Amino acid sequence: MKVLFVAGDPKPERWTVPIKELLPEAEVHVWDPDGPAIDADYAIVWQPPAKLFERETQLKAVFNLGAGIDGLLKVPNLPEDLTVVRLEDAGMSVQMAEYVLHQLLEASRGMETYREQQRQGIWKIHRPIKRSEWPVGVMGLGHIGKRVARTLADLDYRVNGWARGEHNLNGVSTYAGPDQLGEFLKATRVLVNTLPLTDETRELIDYELLSQLQPGAVLINVGRGEHLVEEDLLRALDEGKLVRASLDVFRKEPLPEGHPFWQRSEITITPHISARTLRDATLEQITGKIRDHAQGRAITGIVDTGRGY
């Protein structure tokens, strides 16, 4: 069995050494853009070059080093019949839930107000929040979205969930499909985006969508930058349709110097850190699936490339 690591890491040994330890029966190779084909059986990738699929024509499956596979699906010559496997959790969902909770508390508990009072030496207590005034809507009910929704519901926030298909989740009111999106938005004040990026979800978060949220609305985007129409977000803030946005993902990363988001006090910017890939958990999952696939056992996390997730 030959396994090819294709991720552009300047220190690939950080990955290949533990891969060899976890999968001793495999030959592990690092992608060389100028090298010959090795007839790899499996590839572990992150945003691989198109040349990979031109050269390595014997691949049985490709394993993505992340839950979001839009970068992989953009490769123009990705074989239609190749098994594509996404990363399932590997410690990311709890990180995402922490991040979303932090951003929600910043808004609902008014923590910036207390920081400003500290700067001014002011001791003043504001009234406790009513969680009923802060209904949360989670768009996307995959593994990460469900973890986020459950975490917030466990803290007694009223949580709504919306996805393309039907879902049942204890403590969460769920909506499905385009026909129920408007109802979902009207029941939501804090909109959390965890959707995958597909043709249907690209630029979904526009002025029209944001205008349907409850007064005093907040956006937390941890999905993809391409979900958001940036000009529409600024317009919604200017017109008071939205009072705050926490953004961890952007159309172009790093966010360019001089981008208008940098100058807006209502926008919290973080550099795509809401959920970082944990190397040990990731490699344990991927190598286990490679072994199962090689031995003919069923594996989870296979992507429907037609749907984009």
Side-chain angles (χ1 to χ4, degrees):
M1 182 199 308
K2 295 181 181 179
V3 176
L4 182 59
F5 179 76
V6 192
D9 191 315
K11 296 182 179 179
E13 65 275 7
R14 293 183 293 190
W15 298 86
T16 56
V17 170
I19 290 171
K20 290 177 182 178
E21 293 173 351
L22 291 163
L23 206 62
E25 65 268 34
E27 295 180 23
V28 181
H29 301 261
V30 176
W31 169 254
D32 179 355
D34 300 315
I38 65 166
D39 294 328
D41 298 290
Y42 299 99
I44 300 173
V45 307
W46 180 250
Q47 298 181 342
K51 193 174 181 180
L52 168 66
F53 301 109
E54 297 171 4
R55 183 194 302 174
E56 297 296 333
T57 60
Q58 305 302 312
L59 288 170
K60 299 173 183 176
V62 58
F63 291 80
N64 195 54
L65 283 171
I69 47 85
D70 47 286
L72 176 55
L73 296 184
K74 288 178 182 176
V75 180
N77 58 351
L78 178 71
E80 292 184 1
D81 59 348
L82 180 61
T83 298
V84 175
V85 187
R86 62 178 173 82
L87 190 64
E88 296 180 287
D89 199 347
M92 290 191 293
S93 67
V94 66
Q95 295 179 68
M96 194 74 80
E98 287 174 337
Y99 180 93
V100 170
L101 175 60
H102 176 85
Q103 301 302 331
L104 171 61
L105 294 177
E106 281 284 310
S108 66
R109 297 292 299 270
M111 301 310 294
E112 177 55 35
T113 298
Y114 289 108
R115 285 196 292 272
E116 180 59 30
Q117 288 182 186
Q118 178 181 347
R119 287 189 285 268
Q120 298 182 35
I122 296 173
W123 181 281
K124 182 180 179 180
I125 299 173
H126 299 270
R127 73 174 180 87
I129 67 166
K130 295 180 180 179
R131 282 172 173 75
S132 60
E133 297 176 354
W134 291 91
V136 180
V138 179
M139 289 202 303
L141 293 175
H143 192 83
I144 287 176
K146 287 179 179 176
R147 180 64 180 265
V148 170
R150 284 196 300 263
T151 297
L152 303 183
D154 285 345
L155 291 172
D156 294 340
Y157 283 92
R158 191 165 75 236
V159 180
N160 309 304
W162 179 84
R164 177 176 177 174
E166 298 282 350
H167 289 268
N168 291 312
L169 196 59
N170 288 338
V172 178
S173 300
T174 56
Y175 302 78
D179 292 343
Q180 295 185 4
L181 179 57
E183 184 181 358
F184 162 80
L185 294 170
K186 290 176 183 177
T188 294
R189 180 176 178 183
V190 180
L191 182 65
V192 180
N193 176 42
T194 69
L195 286 166
L197 183 63
T198 68
D199 290 341
E200 290 75 24
T201 64
R202 192 181 305 273
E203 298 193 343
L204 176 65
I205 306 174
D206 59 8
Y207 179 81
E208 180 182 359
L209 182 145
L210 294 171
S211 297
Q212 297 178 65
L213 297 171
Q214 293 184 1
V218 174
L219 171 66
I220 302 173
N221 188 17
V222 291
R224 284 291 184 266
E226 292 90 338
H227 286 132
L228 175 65
V229 181
E230 295 183 344
E231 298 81 3
D232 287 7
L233 171 63
L234 295 172
R235 178 185 173 190
L237 287 168
D238 288 340
E239 296 182 5
K241 304 288 186 183
L242 202 69
V243 299
R244 182 187 180 99
S246 296
L247 308 177
D248 186 56
V249 288
F250 304 89
R251 288 178 175 272
K252 185 175 182 181
E253 296 179 0
L255 186 66
E257 183 179 354
H259 192 286
F261 284 176
W262 288 115
Q263 307 305 318
R264 299 299 294 254
S265 60
E266 316 99 307
I267 298 177
T268 297
I269 293 169
T270 51
H272 207 144
I273 50 80
S274 55
R276 303 293 303 277
T277 299
L278 302 179
R279 188 180 299 116
D280 291 348
T282 294
L283 291 181
E284 287 177 7
Q285 180 182 138
I286 289 176
T287 55
K289 288 184 178 182
I290 288 175
R291 180 177 290 112
D292 286 342
H293 190 274
Q295 296 178 1
R297 293 190 289 268
I299 61 173
T300 58
I302 295 177
V303 173
D304 182 337
T305 54
R307 298 179 70 178
Y309 56 93

